[in-house]
Amino acid sequence: MSLVLHFADEAGLAQALALELGWACAQITRHSFPDGEYRLTLPKPLPPRVALLRGLQQPNAKLAALLIAAPTARECGARHLTLVAPYLSYMRQDMEFNPGEAVSQRHVGHALATWFDALITVDPHLHRVATLDEVVPGRRGVALSAAPLLGHFVAHRVPGALLLAPDEEAGQWVRAAAQAGGLDHAVCHKQRQGDHDVQVALPDADVRGRAVVLLDDLASTGRTLVAAAQGAFARGAASVDVAVTHGLFIGDALQQVRAAGVRHVWSSDCVPHTSNAVSVVPLLAEAVRQVSA
């Protein structure tokens, strides 16, 4: 017997994953004390193979819960413990950009490698690291991509669309999505002055009269998407839609994106959100099978 273990807020995705795998599914009960401490209760006994589903958006509290849940799962019987984190946080800080800055990717990765035997995620923000195995040293790391799924989806919903990466970092995902969907693509240039101050320069590609779809791995504050959408409309785009792997949409981000004239916003179900339109469950299930074999 094998089991998908989850918290209440990700029950839908966990149940879909368990159904795809043909595994059982069970929930971790979480109680929060007035001072913010957690009391976690896991089902006992657990089978030898357990996949713990936990996306790491809003990461600080969730990492604290994993610190408690992972060793408890082993105490309850789990022998092979896989973390399925559709969204993996703390990946952007992968070097010491300024003296004394913590390399968060390294330290969080080492902690996860201590707690889990394998890590599965989708479109992690890796740029100076070749593979996810380097993030979780000595463990199995699997980095999947939703870009081809988004490319197929966009090709069906907006035939002939121009896929536009709002910045150079998104170029890798736009190229993969364009190839999968048989679509044209181009890459913008971004200058970030702060978390909420972004300027985007469009490429030389002719967008006049075309349906443009901005495609990225992550939508957080939405400011990059807003700047790119405004630039596309200024250059004569007929319409602008958005497709992202991780739809965080912090605060009023979604409202700001729509206010910029964006018609449709689509995301994968890596992060539960009203914009979810593409499911990564089959990708996750196949990866779980591989690391659990």
Side-chain angles (χ1 to χ4, degrees):
M1 180 182 173
S2 302
L3 180 73
V4 175
L5 198 58
H6 65 91
F7 289 82
D9 57 332
E10 291 177 311
L13 187 60
Q15 291 164 4
L17 177 59
L19 182 64
E20 184 80 14
L21 287 166
W23 289 15
C25 190
Q27 183 173 309
I28 298 173
T29 301
R30 180 182 62 192
H31 172 78
S32 295
F33 291 103
D35 63 357
E37 283 190 10
Y38 290 145
R39 182 183 68 218
L40 304 181
T41 305
L42 279 66
K44 187 177 182 179
L46 289 175
R49 288 190 304 175
V50 173
L52 174 53
L53 175 72
R54 196 54 170 156
L56 292 179
Q57 59 275 12
Q58 298 96 44
N60 298 337
K62 291 184 176 182
L63 284 168
L66 288 184
L67 169 67
I68 302 168
T72 305
R74 297 194 187 278
E75 292 172 353
C76 291
R79 295 291 174 264
H80 188 277
L81 187 59
T82 298
L83 174 63
V84 181
Y87 175 69
L88 184 60
S89 58
Y90 282 112
M91 293 297 103
R92 61 167 64 90
Q93 195 77 17
D94 57 3
M95 65 176 291
E96 186 181 2
F97 295 99
N98 296 295
E101 281 185 348
V103 184
S104 308
Q105 182 190 94
R106 178 192 306 151
H107 303 307
V108 170
H110 283 209
L112 295 177
T114 300
W115 303 338
F116 295 95
D117 299 296
L119 168 63
I120 298 169
T121 190
V122 182
D123 289 333
H125 213 69
L126 306 179
H127 295 290
R128 281 161 286 270
V129 174
T131 68
L132 194 64
D133 287 334
E134 297 178 48
V135 177
V136 283
R139 302 299 189 181
R140 179 81 180 274
V142 179
L144 307 169
S145 181
L149 297 177
L150 292 172
H152 282 297
F153 179 85
V154 169
H156 175 72
R157 292 294 300 265
V158 192
L162 171 66
L163 289 183
L164 198 59
D167 57 28
E168 294 89 341
E169 291 183 346
Q172 59 179 306
W173 292 292
V174 165
R175 285 188 288 272
Q179 182 176 7
L183 300 169
D184 295 335
H185 71 282
V187 179
C188 297
H189 174 70
K190 179 174 72 174
Q191 289 185 327
R192 181 182 291 277
Q193 308 301 323
D195 290 341
H196 298 275
D197 185 5
V198 176
Q199 294 181 343
V200 173
L202 264 66
D204 293 334
D206 186 8
V207 303
R208 184 170 301 277
R210 297 197 67 174
V212 171
V213 178
L214 303 174
L215 191 142
D216 207 345
D217 67 316
L218 175 67
S220 179
T221 66
R223 297 305 187 265
T224 299
L225 295 173
V226 166
Q230 291 171 339
F233 281 125
R235 292 269 292 271
S239 63
V240 176
D241 299 312
V242 165
V244 296
T245 298
H246 306 295
L248 300 184
F249 296 112
I250 306 301
D252 66 347
L254 186 59
Q255 293 89 330
Q256 291 293 328
V257 169
R258 294 197 183 281
V262 169
R263 180 177 57 173
H264 299 296
V265 177
W266 302 301
S267 66
S268 82
D269 57 359
C270 285
V271 177
H273 191 265
T274 56
S275 63
N276 290 167
V278 174
S279 179
V280 298
V281 166
L283 289 179
L284 294 175
E286 181 56 32
V288 170
R289 291 189 190 100
Q290 289 178 5
V291 302
S292 302

